[in-house]
């Protein structure tokens, strides 16, 4: 037996050289893994004198093996992609994921949380609406059900939050655009549905100030989640009247940028870096379709795999800990600049 103290199953899996999902399967049902694997796990248990949180495991069994995954708008390919990644991790670890979409509506989000209670899930991964959420409802749910928030943070609610570093997104795009051409204006909705938009606008203002450039925020009317339509209609109005304040446009998200590219095409404005191009357009998210726009869209990419993986592993740790952490955890992943033809 070694003197090293193993605190949780994450560490045990690491030192034993066995995958985290396989270790979880063993503790839920030793007969569910191969005999050779079972022997390796049992040897490691003896060596490190590790005893898992039996209360948490038994509680998990009483609550079934269900995992709830809640996103604000499943028709958005960003949420479809990250939900797909999370679902796969749940299945690989022996859980049964159930996916819900709030359809951008507070009442629907509240109803989903009410329904999840009846399923007695082992835990929930929740991407809340944010500004449109009923904070009191989500707060009460998170106290009753082990919950990890992802993508959209509501300060102080849930045991953990996993998402992307919005300052990293914007700082990379602004620095590249100012280095390679005219400084960008920022194109966004007047009333954005997702709170990440506010963080991106604030980051744009901060980076432009630090670089000594004048900031221009261009707001377009529109509410809800039809971002492409809002971007297109808003850009058409701007191009019809007076145009953009600079020839470089940085969009709050890729879906708005896709609408803007459509408007530019309709009005005969060529977008890109080459000769004869009137505008450069860049954005944030690396929407799954952004590489197929015309021209393909320069963007700052989410680390989809890391966010999905860490969110699920954090939820596993939370379940094993009995539903609470000593301190609320927040983890942010940096963006990666992807250069394409639009800027």
């Amino acid at each position: 037996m070694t003197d090293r103290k193993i605190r949780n199953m994450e560490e045990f899996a690491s030192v034993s050289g066995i995958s985290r999902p396989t270790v979880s399967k063993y503790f839920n049902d030793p007969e569910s893994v191969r005999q050779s694997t079972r022997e390796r796990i049992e040897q490691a248990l003896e060596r490190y004198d590790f005893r898992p949180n039996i209360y948490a495991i038994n509680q998990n069994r009483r609550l079934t093996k269900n995992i709830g995954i809640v996103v604000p708008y499943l028709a958005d390919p960003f949420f479809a992609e990250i939900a797909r990644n999370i679902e796969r991790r749940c299945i690989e670890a022996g859980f049964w994921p159930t996916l819900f979409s709030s359809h951008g509506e507070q009442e629907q989000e509240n109803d989903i949380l009410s329904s999840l209670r009846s399923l007695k899930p082992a835990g929930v991964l929740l991407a809340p609406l944010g500004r449109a959420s009923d904070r009191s409802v989500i707060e009460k749910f998170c106290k009753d059900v082990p919950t990890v928030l992802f993508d959209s943070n509501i300060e102080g609610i849930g045991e953990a939050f996993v998402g992307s570093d919005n300052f990293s997104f914007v700082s990379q795009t602004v620095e590249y655009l100012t280095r390679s051409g005219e400084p960008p204006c920022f194109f966004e909705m007047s009333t954005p549905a997702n709170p990440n938009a506010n963080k991106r606008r604030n980051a744009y203002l901060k980076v432009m100030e630090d670089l000594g450039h004048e900031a221009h925020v261009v707001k377009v009317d529109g509410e809800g989640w039809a971002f492409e339509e809002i971007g297109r209609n808003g850009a058409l109005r701007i191009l019809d009247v007076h145009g953009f304040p600079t020839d470089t446009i940085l969009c709050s998200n890729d879906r708005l940028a896709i609408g803007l590219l459509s408007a530019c095409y309709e009005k005969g404005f060529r977008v890109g870096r080459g000769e004869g191009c009137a505008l450069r357009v860049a954005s944030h998210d690396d929407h799954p379709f952004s590489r197929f726009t015309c021209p393909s869209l320069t963007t700052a990419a989410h680390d989809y795999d890391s966010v999905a993986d860490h969110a699920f592993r954090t939820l596993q740790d939370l379940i094993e800990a009995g539903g609470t952490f000593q301190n609320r955890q927040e983890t942010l992943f940096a963006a990666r600049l992807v250069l394409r033809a639009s800027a």
Side-chain angles (χ1 to χ4, degrees):
M1 185 174 69
T2 180
D3 292 333
R4 177 171 178 176
K5 180 66 175 176
I6 304 300
R7 295 174 298 177
N8 52 45
M9 277 204 262
E10 187 76 26
E11 289 187 12
F12 177 74
S14 177
V15 298
S16 64
I18 300 167
S19 73
R20 179 67 174 73
T22 300
V23 170
S24 290
K25 287 180 68 177
Y26 170 85
F27 284 120
N28 283 308
D29 179 10
E31 298 299 322
S32 67
V33 302
R34 289 179 298 183
Q35 182 177 350
S36 59
T37 302
R38 188 162 63 248
E39 290 173 354
R40 287 178 60 199
I41 292 174
E42 289 168 354
Q43 289 170 5
L45 285 171
E46 183 175 352
R47 178 182 179 187
Y48 293 103
D49 192 29
F50 175 62
R51 294 296 178 267
N53 187 332
I54 299 300
Y55 167 75
I57 292 173
N58 287 338
Q59 181 189 55
N60 180 28
R61 285 176 176 154
R62 289 199 303 272
L63 293 174
T64 77
K65 295 290 289 181
N66 295 326
I67 294 289
I69 304 169
V70 186
V71 298
Y73 196 69
L74 192 55
D76 187 324
F78 163 73
F79 290 112
E81 177 66 12
I82 199 165
R84 182 186 68 83
N85 278 274
I86 291 173
E87 277 188 314
R88 291 184 60 185
R89 284 158 175 79
C90 290
I91 293 167
E92 289 167 0
F95 289 95
W96 302 319
T98 305
L99 179 61
F100 300 86
S101 173
S102 303
H103 299 286
E105 300 174 1
Q106 182 188 102
E107 183 177 359
Q108 180 71 10
E109 184 174 73
N110 292 347
D111 287 345
I112 288 169
L113 298 182
S114 178
S115 297
L116 274 168
R117 290 178 187 275
S118 66
L119 294 176
K120 297 183 178 179
V124 170
L125 289 156
L126 170 63
L129 295 172
R131 182 178 62 87
S133 293
D134 185 328
R135 181 185 174 95
S136 63
V137 169
I138 293 180
E139 186 171 23
K140 186 176 189 311
F141 179 84
C142 292
K143 287 180 179 179
D144 297 339
V145 179
T147 303
V148 171
L149 272 58
F150 69 97
D151 182 64
S152 178
N153 194 11
I154 301 179
E155 297 293 336
I157 291 183
E159 294 296 313
F161 169 73
V162 181
S164 297
D165 182 350
N166 285 289
F167 190 87
S168 166
F169 278 69
V170 177
S171 61
Q172 291 187 64
T173 52
V174 172
E175 287 168 3
Y176 164 70
L177 292 171
T178 55
R179 186 174 67 248
S180 57
E182 189 173 358
C185 61
F186 190 77
F187 183 71
E188 68 166 0
M189 293 166 57
S190 298
T191 52
N194 192 306
N196 289 324
N198 298 323
K199 296 177 181 178
R200 292 176 182 181
R201 181 200 323 111
N202 292 336
Y204 164 78
L205 295 172
K206 176 68 166 58
V207 175
M208 289 290 281
E209 180 182 7
D210 289 347
L211 294 175
H213 299 299
E214 182 180 2
H216 301 277
V217 176
V218 179
K219 296 178 179 289
V220 294
D221 294 333
E223 295 186 3
W225 291 81
F227 299 163
E228 293 87 355
E229 182 178 2
I230 292 168
R232 173 183 172 275
N233 292 340
L236 285 173
R237 287 192 293 270
I238 292 169
L239 293 171
D240 272 339
V241 179
H242 47 68
F244 287 90
T246 75
D247 67 12
T248 304
I249 307 163
L250 177 60
C251 299
S252 180
N253 64 64
D254 284 356
R255 293 183 59 201
L256 280 174
I258 290 171
L260 188 148
L261 289 176
S262 174
C264 290
Y265 176 79
E266 289 184 43
K267 292 297 181 181
F269 287 87
R270 186 176 176 187
V271 174
R273 297 193 298 262
E275 186 178 349
C277 292
L279 297 169
R280 294 188 304 157
V281 176
S283 188
H284 307 104
D285 284 343
D286 199 22
H287 180 298
F289 300 157
S290 62
R291 71 187 64 187
F292 302 114
T293 59
C294 188
S296 56
L297 188 59
T298 289
T299 185
H302 282 280
D303 189 341
Y304 289 94
D305 286 343
S306 294
V307 170
D309 184 64
H310 193 78
F312 177 66
R313 287 192 291 108
T314 301
L315 183 61
Q316 282 187 304
D317 290 343
L318 180 59
I319 293 167
E320 291 165 13
T324 58
F325 288 143
Q326 186 173 359
N327 298 298
R328 187 176 190 266
Q329 301 179 10
E330 289 194 13
T331 306
L332 300 178
F333 289 91
R336 174 177 56 89
L337 184 63
V338 179
L339 297 181
R340 298 194 180 108
S342 70

